[in-house]
Amino acid sequence: MKVEADLAACQGYVCCVMAAPEVFDVDDDTAKVVLLTASPGEELRAKVEDAVRSCPSRALKLAEE
């Protein structure tokens, strides 16, 4: 799976970080999402899917590689 982040849409709510801190962080200067890994392993699928669903600004997308 591959995670994509739309930085223009990101509002820095940090819901993604709470759902999957292994995959997401937020830049302190810009308050925008930072992908720690764009291709997380299958063991993180449930957390990443939760992060994508919980993003209020719909800035995250999940695609299959």
Side-chain angles (χ1 to χ4, degrees):
M1 80 179 136
K2 182 175 178 177
V3 180
E4 298 174 2
D6 180 349
L7 297 181
C10 179
Q11 298 295 308
Y13 290 108
V14 303
C15 297
C16 56
V17 178
M18 292 186 288
E22 304 90 339
V23 179
F24 304 100
D25 199 359
V26 173
D27 184 281
D28 291 334
D29 295 328
T30 64
K32 302 286 183 178
V33 67
V34 174
L35 294 177
L36 301 177
T37 178
S39 298
E42 278 299 312
E43 70 279 2
L44 295 173
R45 179 175 288 277
K47 286 184 168 186
V48 172
E49 288 174 344
D50 185 43
V52 171
R53 276 192 308 272
S54 67
C55 180
S57 59
R58 302 290 179 237
L60 301 173
K61 288 175 42 177
L62 184 60
E64 297 304 322
E65 289 188 291

